[in-house]
Amino acid sequence: MSRVVVAEDDAHIRRVICLWLRRQGHEVFEASNGRVALDMVLEHEPRILVTDVNMPLMDGIELLKELTERDCSPHGIVVLTNRWDHREIGEQLAGPGMHVMPKPFSPTRLAELIDQLGSEAPEEAST
Amino acid sequence: MESYCHPRQETLNGPGMMQVAASCAGGPKQSLTIVRPDEPSAAVPLHCLRTCLNGDPSSLHKAGCAWLRSTRSGSADSTLLRNGKCDKGYLADAEPVTLHGRHVLLLSVDGTIPPEMARPADIEERVENTSDMAVRLARAVEDSERLAEEVLQNYEQLSLLFDFTSQIAEVTEPEQIERLLMNRMARLLNVETLEVVSSRGETHVLDVADGTTTARHWRDEPDAQYTAFAEQALLTHSVTVKSANDRSYLLCPLPRLQDQHDVVVVSRPSGAPEFISGDLQMVGSLLTFGGNLINNSELHGHLRQMSIEATRALVSAIDKKDHYTSGHSERVGFMSRMTGEALGVTVDQLDHLEWSGLLHDIGKIGVAEDILNKPGKLTDVEFDQIKAHPRMGYEILKPIESLQPILAGVLHHHENADGSGYPDGLELKDTPLFARIIHVADVFDALSSTRSYRKAFSVERSIEIIQEMAGAKLDAEITATFTAALHGLRESRPEEFASMFPIALEEELV
Ligand SMILES: [Fe+2]
């Protein structure tokens, strides 16, 4: 089971995601915007970050950029978004351990993805 | 209120909210414990627990109980335990609270009670308010968790539906559509079994785990009650929910062609969530949608089959008119496709090529039978009539919209590479590909069949002749490809080859 930071500004959606992930046995930290999430990632060093794109104060893209600059990107990153250009976002962000899921996402697939990211050996991330 | 009794985002869950409620009820110098039946807290002396619960700790599971214990600052716990009585405990009624299916709620406050609250009545009121607030909060949290649960389920169903509609667009065969439909439905409804009871008698049982299907006769179902309502569902064509044999079944008609209905039967074991109106609506609309897709694709298949058969019948009527060329058009169509495939023609173009080969001589319908079958040499006038058949075929087929791609092959299948052919005397570079392919296949088939004016040549001799014609009359590259493909066919499928060229093969043995 993995430590996960969830960044999502919509409290209802965040609640749904966190409830679901906690039920899968993960240790979950909740952040309501990118800035809070950045602090949480730096403090808790989670294995996985689940983030929305559009958020106040710091959006998901800026968050990922900040993390890359500090070389603190978690092993797995799942970007959940309801933006119509989610495909372009996916292409823009493409990299190891990076996944973009359009909303509404399939909870089962999210859980599978997080299990997969959680069980991969760390070396695989760098290839 | 001080900040400690404001919930933080992270505590938005049942136990967390109760903790918040309780800390708001207490004061800044009081600590608070929540005791739940599944994790009794050491902070509450057992005998106090018994007092609260009238000596029956197990009643906590049944009824729930709120209990606050307060001590004045500095007083020792032992003073409370005098005589084994919980004399300074304050009791309050609490409604039972259920979180995650279990009764919870026992509040224990330790610490300083503020002086203004010294009277027991104050504290009792506070306790009551607290437990009331905790109950409400816990209920609200549970409601919101139920809601979240529903949202999760709806998300799952939505994305399964999106998946289904995008995948269904990619399959065309009725069986594939049905398999996809049944697999998706089993997942969408989260059912344990799914069977399609067909009006023709058999049942297809889906293995929900691996998506495979096995067939059996539905009357062989050991449960008589199940058989009875499956039979009834086949007759009534309505969505129903039945229970039998400790399971609940949902039955829904799947519309088939000619007013027939199959019935899709899904089931969940007892204890699993009951079928709800949403399930019925979803099954109903999925099966109507999927059933129409399956039926359309079946109809499309039937129509296609019918047009192929009708064309074959027409072509063989023309071949029969020309007494000696039975099966000629069919073979030219087949060999043209074979050659096109070897030349790397795309799959949908191959269909056009085959049709073009099949219909290449359709213009012979306008040539008199006695000319077609004349044993001796033709006069110039007679030969002109024969030479008119490609253009006649072209004129016959031209009005048919869907046959436009095959027209060039029909019109030019008698053009020679050196420009000596008919109707237009085109040279090789101007002759369309289909026409060049059909030409080679046509000449080979003419040579290897018996004609009114001569006997058939053997397969090998016919090949030799077309190789001699390559360059001047036939496209050399296509002739080489054709020869190789024909040899390949002879080796890989000798029986099929023998049934296509029986006479030519006989000649080879002579
Ligand atoms: Fe011909």
Side-chain angles (χ1 to χ4, degrees), chain B residues 39-321:
Chain B
E39 39 185 86
S41 164
V44 181
L46 248 187
H47 75 273
C48 290
L49 192 61
R50 278 193 219 101
T51 309
C52 165
L53 300 167
N54 297 323
D56 176 16
S58 67
S59 72
L60 187 59
H61 295 263
K62 288 178 248 142
C65 172
W67 183 81
L68 251 77
R69 180 168 63 98
S70 65
T71 58
R72 303 220 170 248
S73 174
S75 71
D77 252 9
S78 58
T79 59
L80 289 170
L81 308 179
R82 212 179 303 124
N83 304 326
K85 275 188 164 182
C86 194
D87 51 358
K88 295 241 172 109
Y90 292 93
L91 278 68
D93 289 329
E95 293 172 71
V97 187
T98 314
L99 273 180
H100 302 306
R102 275 179 300 216
H103 291 299
V104 296
L105 211 57
L106 180 69
L107 303 176
S108 150
V109 176
D110 288 292
T112 316
I113 300 288
E116 70 273 16
M117 280 189 58
R119 292 178 307 116
D122 286 347
I123 296 174
E124 270 170 33
E125 195 185 323
R126 197 81 183 249
V127 168
E128 266 176 33
N129 288 346
T130 306
S131 70
D132 191 48
M133 181 155 78
V135 167
R136 281 163 199 273
L137 273 173
R139 289 241 166 94
V141 165
E142 263 222 325
D143 278 354
S144 101
E145 281 188 11
R146 248 197 304 277
L147 217 62
E149 199 82 45
E150 228 163 274
V151 170
L152 281 167
Q153 244 174 43
N154 289 345
Y155 268 28
E156 195 72 63
Q157 290 196 336
L158 258 181
S159 57
L160 280 168
L161 267 180
F162 290 160
D163 273 7
F164 172 69
T165 43
S166 69
Q167 285 174 346
I168 203 96
E170 285 165 23
V171 293
T172 48
E173 294 301 315
E175 297 77 27
Q176 289 176 305
I177 300 176
E178 182 162 349
R179 204 174 315 133
L180 189 66
L181 177 65
M182 295 312 152
N183 272 307
R184 290 295 149 180
M185 218 171 65
R187 281 184 57 193
L188 271 165
L189 283 169
N190 208 359
V191 289
E192 203 178 66
T193 71
L194 186 149
E195 305 178 359
V196 185
V197 181
S198 110
S199 46
R200 294 179 296 278
E202 76 272 22
T203 295
H204 296 276
V205 184
L206 177 80
D207 185 322
V208 173
D210 70 6
T212 57
T213 310
T214 48
R216 64 169 166 73
H217 197 283
W218 63 278
R219 287 185 198 281
D220 295 343
E221 166 68 41
D223 179 7
Q225 225 177 329
Y226 169 87
T227 318
F229 61 67
E231 198 155 5
Q232 189 197 338
L234 279 171
L235 291 173
T236 58
H237 305 169
S238 60
V239 187
T240 41
V241 172
K242 303 260 180 184
S243 45
N245 212 15
D246 246 2
R247 310 186 70 82
S248 60
Y249 293 91
L250 192 161
L251 299 96
C252 184
L254 173 67
R256 306 308 300 250
L257 293 176
Q258 278 130 22
D259 271 342
Q260 296 282 313
H261 281 83
D262 290 355
V263 174
V264 176
V265 186
V266 293
S267 85
R268 291 176 183 157
S270 65
E274 302 225 326
F275 288 111
I276 55 170
S277 60
D279 295 336
L280 266 69
Q281 279 170 10
M282 189 164 63
V283 174
S285 69
L286 263 183
L287 288 188
T288 310
F289 169 71
N292 282 330
L293 278 179
I294 295 170
N295 293 341
N296 283 344
S297 131
E298 263 176 12
L299 265 181
H300 179 259
H302 287 169
L303 285 175
R304 193 185 145 88
Q305 192 59 32
M306 209 169 82
S307 75
I308 291 172
E309 281 162 11
T311 310
R312 292 232 155 96
L314 173 67
V315 163
S316 96
I318 291 150
D319 282 353
K320 289 222 170 67
K321 193 178 170 191

Side-chain angles (χ1 to χ4, degrees), chain B residues 4 31 36 64 142 186 197 213 260 377 383 411 451 455 483:
Chain B
Y4 60 82
S31 71
R36 283 178 275 169
E142 263 222 325
V197 181
T213 310
Q260 296 282 313
K377 200 173 169 1
F383 194 47
L411 181 59
R451 289 281 150 140
K455 278 177 69 183
T483 307

Side-chain angles (χ1 to χ4, degrees), chain B residues 360-361 364 389 413-414 442:
Chain B
H360 75 283
D361 268 351
K364 282 190 178 168
H389 84 269
H413 75 272
H414 282 291
D442 187 25

Side-chain angles (χ1 to χ4, degrees), chain A residues 115-127:
Chain A
D115 278 351
Q116 176 206 321
L117 290 170
S119 60
E120 280 168 356
E123 305 87 78
E124 280 175 53
S126 56
T127 55

